[in-house]
Short mmCIF file of all heavy atoms in Angstrom, two decimals:
data_model
loop_
_atom_site.label_atom_id
_atom_site.label_comp_id
_atom_site.label_asym_id
_atom_site.label_seq_id
_atom_site.Cartn_x
_atom_site.Cartn_y
_atom_site.Cartn_z
N LEU A 103 6.46 22.81 3.62
CA LEU A 103 7.71 22.00 3.59
C LEU A 103 8.77 22.48 2.60
O LEU A 103 9.99 22.45 3.02
CB LEU A 103 7.24 20.46 3.13
CG LEU A 103 8.41 19.45 3.08
CD1 LEU A 103 9.04 19.32 4.39
CD2 LEU A 103 7.84 18.09 2.50
N GLU A 104 8.38 22.88 1.52
CA GLU A 104 9.33 23.56 0.52
C GLU A 104 10.03 24.68 1.11
O GLU A 104 11.21 24.76 0.91
CB GLU A 104 8.53 23.84 -0.79
CG GLU A 104 8.16 22.62 -1.58
CD GLU A 104 7.21 23.05 -2.76
OE1 GLU A 104 6.77 24.19 -2.75
OE2 GLU A 104 6.93 22.11 -3.55
N LYS A 105 9.24 25.51 1.82
CA LYS A 105 9.84 26.74 2.41
C LYS A 105 10.98 26.29 3.42
O LYS A 105 12.00 26.83 3.54
CB LYS A 105 8.78 27.52 3.11
CG LYS A 105 9.29 28.93 3.72
CD LYS A 105 8.09 29.67 4.27
CE LYS A 105 8.55 31.02 4.89
NZ LYS A 105 9.54 30.80 6.10
N LYS A 106 10.61 25.35 4.20
CA LYS A 106 11.53 25.01 5.26
C LYS A 106 12.83 24.33 4.69
O LYS A 106 13.92 24.52 5.13
CB LYS A 106 10.91 24.12 6.40
CG LYS A 106 9.88 24.86 7.18
CD LYS A 106 9.30 23.93 8.35
CE LYS A 106 8.38 24.71 9.34
NZ LYS A 106 9.21 25.69 10.16
N LEU A 107 12.53 23.57 3.69
CA LEU A 107 13.70 22.83 3.06
C LEU A 107 14.56 23.76 2.32
O LEU A 107 15.82 23.60 2.29
CB LEU A 107 13.20 21.69 1.96
CG LEU A 107 12.59 20.51 2.50
CD1 LEU A 107 11.94 19.70 1.35
CD2 LEU A 107 13.58 19.69 3.28
N SER A 108 14.01 24.89 1.73
CA SER A 108 14.85 25.94 1.16
C SER A 108 15.75 26.64 2.11
O SER A 108 16.80 27.24 1.70
CB SER A 108 13.96 26.85 0.22
OG SER A 108 13.21 27.66 1.19
N GLU A 109 15.29 26.60 3.30
CA GLU A 109 16.06 27.44 4.42
C GLU A 109 17.21 26.48 5.02
O GLU A 109 18.03 26.93 5.77
CB GLU A 109 15.09 27.81 5.42
CG GLU A 109 14.16 28.84 5.01
CD GLU A 109 12.94 29.23 5.93
OE1 GLU A 109 12.98 28.47 7.00
OE2 GLU A 109 12.31 30.17 5.77
N ASN A 110 17.04 25.09 4.87
CA ASN A 110 18.05 24.20 5.44
C ASN A 110 18.55 23.27 4.50
O ASN A 110 17.91 22.13 4.16
CB ASN A 110 17.29 23.48 6.56
CG ASN A 110 18.34 22.68 7.45
OD1 ASN A 110 19.34 22.16 6.96
ND2 ASN A 110 18.01 22.55 8.78
N HIS A 111 19.62 23.65 3.81
CA HIS A 111 20.10 22.71 2.69
C HIS A 111 20.59 21.40 3.13
O HIS A 111 20.52 20.37 2.25
CB HIS A 111 21.21 23.47 1.93
CG HIS A 111 20.74 24.84 1.22
ND1 HIS A 111 21.53 25.77 0.66
CD2 HIS A 111 19.47 25.25 1.03
CE1 HIS A 111 20.97 26.77 0.17
NE2 HIS A 111 19.59 26.55 0.41
N GLU A 112 21.16 21.23 4.21
CA GLU A 112 21.69 19.90 4.65
C GLU A 112 20.41 18.99 4.90
O GLU A 112 20.55 17.85 4.36
CB GLU A 112 22.47 20.11 6.04
CG GLU A 112 23.10 18.78 6.44
CD GLU A 112 23.91 18.99 7.73
OE1 GLU A 112 24.30 20.11 7.98
OE2 GLU A 112 24.18 18.01 8.51
N ILE A 113 19.41 19.52 5.44
CA ILE A 113 18.21 18.66 5.62
C ILE A 113 17.57 18.42 4.32
O ILE A 113 17.05 17.31 4.07
CB ILE A 113 17.21 19.34 6.65
CG1 ILE A 113 17.91 19.32 8.11
CG2 ILE A 113 15.84 18.60 6.57
CD1 ILE A 113 17.90 17.90 8.69
N ALA A 114 17.60 19.39 3.45
CA ALA A 114 16.98 19.27 2.10
C ALA A 114 17.69 18.03 1.33
O ALA A 114 16.91 17.19 0.71
CB ALA A 114 17.13 20.49 1.25
N LEU A 115 18.98 17.94 1.45
CA LEU A 115 19.71 16.87 0.79
C LEU A 115 19.29 15.59 1.30
O LEU A 115 19.09 14.59 0.48
CB LEU A 115 21.20 17.17 0.86
CG LEU A 115 22.14 16.09 0.19
CD1 LEU A 115 21.76 16.04 -1.35
CD2 LEU A 115 23.67 16.39 0.42
N GLU A 116 19.28 15.40 2.55
CA GLU A 116 19.00 14.16 3.15
C GLU A 116 17.52 13.78 2.91
O GLU A 116 17.19 12.64 2.57
CB GLU A 116 19.14 14.23 4.68
CG GLU A 116 18.87 12.89 5.45
CD GLU A 116 19.17 12.96 6.90
OE1 GLU A 116 19.58 13.99 7.37
OE2 GLU A 116 18.87 11.85 7.56
N PHE A 117 16.67 14.78 2.87
CA PHE A 117 15.21 14.46 2.44
C PHE A 117 15.18 13.98 0.99
O PHE A 117 14.39 13.05 0.78
CB PHE A 117 14.36 15.74 2.62
CG PHE A 117 12.96 15.59 2.55
CD1 PHE A 117 12.15 15.07 3.49
CD2 PHE A 117 12.28 15.88 1.27
CE1 PHE A 117 10.74 14.96 3.39
CE2 PHE A 117 10.89 15.69 1.14
CZ PHE A 117 10.16 15.22 2.26
N MET A 118 15.86 14.54 0.07
CA MET A 118 15.87 14.21 -1.30
C MET A 118 16.40 12.70 -1.41
O MET A 118 15.84 11.96 -2.35
CB MET A 118 16.70 15.15 -2.15
CG MET A 118 16.07 16.51 -2.27
SD MET A 118 14.29 16.57 -2.65
CE MET A 118 14.02 18.22 -2.48
N LYS A 119 17.36 12.30 -0.71
CA LYS A 119 17.89 11.02 -0.74
C LYS A 119 16.85 9.98 -0.24
O LYS A 119 16.69 8.93 -0.79
CB LYS A 119 19.06 10.89 0.16
CG LYS A 119 20.44 11.64 -0.49
CD LYS A 119 21.66 11.46 0.49
CE LYS A 119 22.86 12.18 -0.03
NZ LYS A 119 23.94 12.05 0.84
N TRP A 120 16.12 10.41 0.81
CA TRP A 120 15.06 9.57 1.21
C TRP A 120 13.98 9.26 0.26
O TRP A 120 13.54 8.26 -0.03
CB TRP A 120 14.51 10.12 2.54
CG TRP A 120 13.52 9.27 3.29
CD1 TRP A 120 13.47 7.94 3.39
CD2 TRP A 120 12.39 9.75 3.93
NE1 TRP A 120 12.31 7.50 4.10
CE2 TRP A 120 11.58 8.50 4.43
CE3 TRP A 120 11.76 11.00 4.11
CZ2 TRP A 120 10.46 8.77 5.20
CZ3 TRP A 120 10.63 11.11 4.91
CH2 TRP A 120 9.96 10.05 5.40
N LEU A 121 13.55 10.45 -0.45
CA LEU A 121 12.65 10.40 -1.40
C LEU A 121 13.09 9.50 -2.65
O LEU A 121 12.25 8.70 -3.19
CB LEU A 121 12.22 11.75 -1.94
CG LEU A 121 11.40 12.64 -0.96
CD1 LEU A 121 11.02 13.94 -1.65
CD2 LEU A 121 10.21 11.99 -0.34
N SER A 122 14.38 9.64 -2.91
CA SER A 122 14.80 8.84 -4.05
C SER A 122 14.73 7.35 -3.72
O SER A 122 14.39 6.67 -4.64
CB SER A 122 16.32 9.13 -4.18
OG SER A 122 16.90 8.34 -5.26
N GLN A 123 14.79 6.95 -2.51
CA GLN A 123 14.66 5.58 -2.25
C GLN A 123 13.19 5.14 -2.29
O GLN A 123 12.90 4.06 -2.80
CB GLN A 123 15.09 5.19 -0.74
CG GLN A 123 14.88 3.75 -0.34
CD GLN A 123 15.80 3.37 0.82
OE1 GLN A 123 17.05 3.50 0.79
NE2 GLN A 123 15.13 2.99 1.85
N GLU A 124 12.31 6.01 -1.93
CA GLU A 124 10.93 5.75 -2.06
C GLU A 124 10.55 5.59 -3.48
O GLU A 124 9.70 4.70 -3.87
CB GLU A 124 10.04 6.93 -1.47
CG GLU A 124 10.23 7.05 0.04
CD GLU A 124 9.76 5.82 0.86
OE1 GLU A 124 8.62 5.36 0.63
OE2 GLU A 124 10.53 5.20 1.55
N HIS A 125 11.00 6.38 -4.44
CA HIS A 125 10.79 6.29 -5.88
C HIS A 125 11.34 4.90 -6.40
O HIS A 125 10.73 4.42 -7.19
CB HIS A 125 11.42 7.47 -6.63
CG HIS A 125 10.57 8.78 -6.51
ND1 HIS A 125 9.36 8.83 -6.86
CD2 HIS A 125 10.99 9.97 -6.02
CE1 HIS A 125 8.94 10.12 -6.71
NE2 HIS A 125 9.85 10.84 -6.23
N ARG A 126 12.50 4.53 -5.93
CA ARG A 126 13.17 3.31 -6.36
C ARG A 126 12.21 2.12 -6.06
O ARG A 126 12.15 1.18 -6.80
CB ARG A 126 14.48 3.16 -5.70
CG ARG A 126 15.30 2.08 -6.29
CD ARG A 126 16.68 1.94 -5.60
NE ARG A 126 17.29 0.74 -6.03
CZ ARG A 126 18.33 0.13 -5.40
NH1 ARG A 126 18.79 0.76 -4.30
NH2 ARG A 126 18.90 -0.96 -5.88
N LYS A 127 11.42 2.11 -4.97
CA LYS A 127 10.58 1.07 -4.57
C LYS A 127 9.57 0.79 -5.72
O LYS A 127 9.23 -0.15 -6.20
CB LYS A 127 9.91 1.37 -3.31
CG LYS A 127 10.84 1.22 -2.09
CD LYS A 127 9.97 1.58 -0.76
CE LYS A 127 10.92 1.58 0.37
NZ LYS A 127 10.11 1.88 1.63
N THR A 128 9.00 2.04 -6.08
CA THR A 128 7.95 1.95 -7.18
C THR A 128 8.59 1.67 -8.62
O THR A 128 7.96 0.78 -9.28
CB THR A 128 7.23 3.34 -7.28
OG1 THR A 128 6.68 3.58 -5.99
CG2 THR A 128 6.19 3.29 -8.33
N GLN A 129 9.73 2.07 -8.86
CA GLN A 129 10.35 1.75 -10.13
C GLN A 129 10.67 0.30 -10.26
O GLN A 129 10.44 -0.26 -11.35
CB GLN A 129 11.64 2.53 -10.19
CG GLN A 129 11.35 4.12 -10.55
CD GLN A 129 12.76 4.80 -10.39
OE1 GLN A 129 13.74 4.42 -9.91
NE2 GLN A 129 12.65 6.13 -10.82
N THR A 130 11.10 -0.37 -9.20
CA THR A 130 11.43 -1.77 -9.33
C THR A 130 10.17 -2.54 -9.49
O THR A 130 10.21 -3.56 -10.20
CB THR A 130 12.17 -2.25 -8.08
OG1 THR A 130 11.34 -1.99 -6.80
CG2 THR A 130 13.51 -1.58 -7.88
N LYS A 131 9.09 -2.20 -8.89
CA LYS A 131 7.84 -2.96 -9.22
C LYS A 131 7.33 -2.82 -10.69
O LYS A 131 7.00 -3.74 -11.29
CB LYS A 131 6.69 -2.35 -8.29
CG LYS A 131 5.38 -3.04 -8.55
CD LYS A 131 4.52 -3.12 -7.38
CE LYS A 131 3.31 -4.05 -7.69
NZ LYS A 131 2.35 -4.23 -6.55
N PHE A 132 7.41 -1.61 -11.17
CA PHE A 132 7.13 -1.38 -12.57
C PHE A 132 8.07 -2.13 -13.48
O PHE A 132 7.60 -2.72 -14.50
CB PHE A 132 7.03 0.02 -12.94
CG PHE A 132 5.90 0.73 -12.56
CD1 PHE A 132 5.88 1.92 -11.75
CD2 PHE A 132 4.57 0.31 -12.86
CE1 PHE A 132 4.71 2.51 -11.37
CE2 PHE A 132 3.42 0.95 -12.48
CZ PHE A 132 3.56 2.12 -11.73
#
Side-chain angles (χ1 to χ4, degrees):
L103 178 61
E104 289 168 353
K105 180 177 182 297
K106 288 186 175 293
L107 288 173
S108 67
E109 296 169 350
N110 190 326
H111 294 173
E112 185 175 339
I113 290 292
L115 179 59
E116 186 176 353
F117 189 80
M118 294 307 174
K119 288 179 179 177
W120 184 39
L121 289 188
S122 177
Q123 178 161 302
E124 294 300 302
H125 282 303
R126 189 179 170 200
K127 291 179 183 178
T128 303
Q129 288 169 349
T130 56
K131 174 150 190 177
F132 281 126

